Amino acid sequence: MADAVSDVVIVGGSIAGCSTATLLARQGVRVTVLEKAPRLEHHKVVCSHFLQPGASPVLRRLGLEEQFVAAGAAPNRTQGWSRYGWFSLHQEGEHGWNLRREKLDPMLRRLAAATPSVALQQGLTVDAVLRDDAGRPCGVSARRRDGERVEVRARVVVGADGRGSDVARLAGVPGRVLPNRRIGYMAYYEDMALATAPDSMVWFRDPEVSYAFLNDEGVVVLAVFAAAKRLPEFKADGEAAFLASFDGLPNRPDIMSARRISPLIGRLDMPNVRRPAALPGLAFVGDAAQASDPLWGVGCGFALQTAEWLADALGPALAQDGDLDRALARYRRRHRSFLLGHHLMMSEYSSGRRFNGLEKLIFTAAPRHPPTAALVGEMAGRARPLHRVMTPPRVARTAAAAMRHRTTA
């Protein structure tokens, strides 16, 4: 059995895990990252590849913005449509990025592996969370494909292993699950002309949502999030059901003239899951802490943001032999304050319902009232807690603008 000792062991070497490792190691913290996939180039396929503006400061801090530009990442300016008209979700000043995970994941993995004090080990499956005599997590055990066992002892264990986190299961930390009553289907296309290019498009069809996201090298991701009751239709003829979901939409892309470069990919089980972001000796980042409705494409952005929050809270305590539990509690509070409102809003809308009264007012006003369009863009950008975006004065101004339009109409 091979053994190792670190300050922090991170299970999961994707966006959240590698970003956390890099930011911690730059503070002098010894970090071991254990990743199940054996290849450095491994990447996630089912993804919107959408990084909100709220994640852009983290990318700059990691020093990746120039690499993003060199890789052809597309600034994710987006045009939204509902039956009330078109509006821009673009925020002045800050913007996010669209970059496919086949480029992003290896980029972050290489960055972490090249950072002093980071030991990246791939091809390992974690099967136990180790505990000390007091019951506090103190590391993990794992096995390689050839059967060799590995133990990594650490002062803090971090789960960065996604929505169905093995670390959470092994540590006995259940998530609060809220159902998602939509199904999702997506496909990748080349040579697809978008009427709004270089902007992407989102159609809020009420209650279903479709989008066309422009990524690096001109690759477009088409996706539809349909009511779960349409599952028999998709199972009977997924191709026809997928194409029909775009019929009649304004500025609909010419799908048949484009070249599809992937199979039609379906996601049928997408529950909203939230766990305590930290407990004594244990923390979660990215989807392992909170996996919200993928309709909004928040997973990549939240992975980067939570990695930064944990590193900022935990790094000084580890480097200076401070109070780790207090640092973890600080991270947990920040995570809850910033993301809980967004999560609950997205989870509630994932019921598959139609627009409620407030949403009708917002979508009515957005095409004709730039401050309301900015509100929607800011909400989608996830750069601030929801309660600081949807303030009573802003909601009141939106309602007034919507009523003025209805009166005029």
Side-chain angles (χ1 to χ4, degrees):
M1 177 183 289
D3 295 317
V5 177
S6 275
D7 295 315
V8 176
V9 59
I10 299 173
V11 179
S14 189
I15 297 177
C18 287
S19 300
T20 304
T22 301
L23 294 171
L24 281 172
R26 288 177 181 177
Q27 301 175 66
V29 176
R30 296 172 303 163
V31 185
T32 298
V33 180
L34 304 181
E35 164 58 35
K36 184 181 297 185
R39 297 185 304 108
L40 188 74
E41 296 77 17
H42 176 78
H43 62 276
K44 190 173 180 179
V45 175
V46 183
C47 183
S48 67
H49 313 284
F50 192 97
L51 284 83
Q52 282 80 12
S56 292
V58 189
L59 290 174
R60 284 195 294 272
R61 183 172 171 180
L62 289 167
L64 291 177
E65 219 167 38
E66 288 187 5
Q67 289 190 50
F68 264 52
V69 174
N76 59 17
R77 296 172 59 102
T78 306
Q79 301 294 320
W81 176 88
S82 76
R83 65 179 180 271
Y84 305 105
W86 285 96
F87 58 94
S88 174
L89 282 86
H90 176 63
Q91 297 175 259
E92 293 300 326
E94 192 70 270
H95 67 77
W97 297 93
N98 285 7
L99 182 68
R100 284 174 295 162
R101 298 288 293 273
E102 66 182 70
K103 294 184 177 181
L104 175 59
D105 289 6
M107 185 186 297
L108 286 166
R109 221 166 269 136
R110 290 190 183 95
L111 177 66
T115 304
S117 298
V118 174
L120 173 63
Q121 299 189 46
Q122 295 194 243
L124 286 151
T125 299
V126 170
D127 55 14
V129 171
L130 307 177
R131 295 184 181 272
D132 61 20
D133 293 340
R136 181 188 180 90
C138 64
V140 299
S141 69
R143 66 180 185 279
R144 301 187 190 277
R145 288 190 163 188
D146 61 7
E148 179 190 10
R149 299 199 63 78
V150 174
E151 277 194 4
V152 181
R153 299 281 174 170
R155 299 173 68 189
V156 178
V157 175
V158 177
D161 50 347
R163 181 187 299 262
S165 171
D166 286 334
V167 171
R169 176 179 57 81
L170 295 168
V173 183
R176 182 185 178 189
V177 179
L178 297 173
N180 187 335
R181 295 189 173 88
R182 289 194 182 91
I183 54 175
Y185 282 83
M186 63 179 291
Y188 295 74
Y189 291 84
E190 286 183 341
D191 303 322
M192 176 175 284
L194 298 184
T196 58
D199 292 4
S200 298
M201 290 185 281
V202 178
W203 294 270
F204 295 94
R205 295 158 49 208
D206 189 23
E208 298 186 356
V209 177
S210 300
Y211 59 63
F213 283 167
L214 180 62
N215 281 270
D216 53 285
E217 299 182 11
V219 173
V220 173
V221 173
L222 287 189
V224 57
F225 291 88
K229 64 183 180 182
R230 289 188 62 195
L231 181 57
E233 176 187 349
F234 276 88
K235 284 193 170 183
D237 191 340
E239 302 281 344
F242 183 73
L243 294 174
S245 298
F246 291 87
D247 285 348
L249 295 180
N251 289 338
R252 174 191 185 276
D254 187 355
I255 301 175
M256 302 310 295
S257 296
R259 184 167 69 92
R260 202 173 82 187
I261 58 173
S262 77
L264 182 63
I265 306 166
R267 284 292 301 273
L268 309 181
D269 186 21
M270 305 178 290
N272 304 276
V273 183
R274 183 176 171 85
R275 299 182 178 90
L279 296 166
L282 183 65
F284 299 98
V285 287
D287 279 356
Q290 175 181 302
S292 305
D293 184 2
L295 181 155
W296 301 97
V298 295
C300 297
F302 285 174
L304 286 163
Q305 288 171 285
T306 56
E308 180 180 53
W309 300 340
L310 179 59
D312 285 350
L314 194 56
L318 285 164
Q320 301 167 22
D321 201 24
D323 189 329
L324 297 184
D325 289 348
R326 180 175 293 181
L328 290 168
R330 186 161 57 250
Y331 164 65
R332 178 174 175 171
R333 288 193 299 270
R334 184 172 186 182
H335 191 288
R336 178 184 176 86
S337 173
F338 199 108
L339 294 186
L340 180 59
H342 287 293
H343 179 73
L344 293 177
M345 181 207 71
M346 289 184 278
S347 300
E348 194 274 333
Y349 188 63
S350 73
S351 65
R353 62 164 175 77
R354 297 182 68 87
F355 288 156
N356 61 29
L358 176 59
E359 289 157 352
K360 288 179 181 178
L361 289 174
I362 289 173
F363 282 100
T364 297
R368 302 158 188 86
H369 187 237
T372 298
L375 182 150
V376 179
E378 192 174 340
M379 180 188 69
R382 317 293 173 182
R384 292 202 294 166
L386 187 63
H387 64 270
R388 294 185 182 175
V389 177
M390 300 288 289
T391 62
R394 296 184 78 178
V395 173
R397 288 192 291 270
T398 291
M403 295 310 296
R404 283 196 301 271
H405 167 69
R406 290 183 176 183
T407 301
T408 302

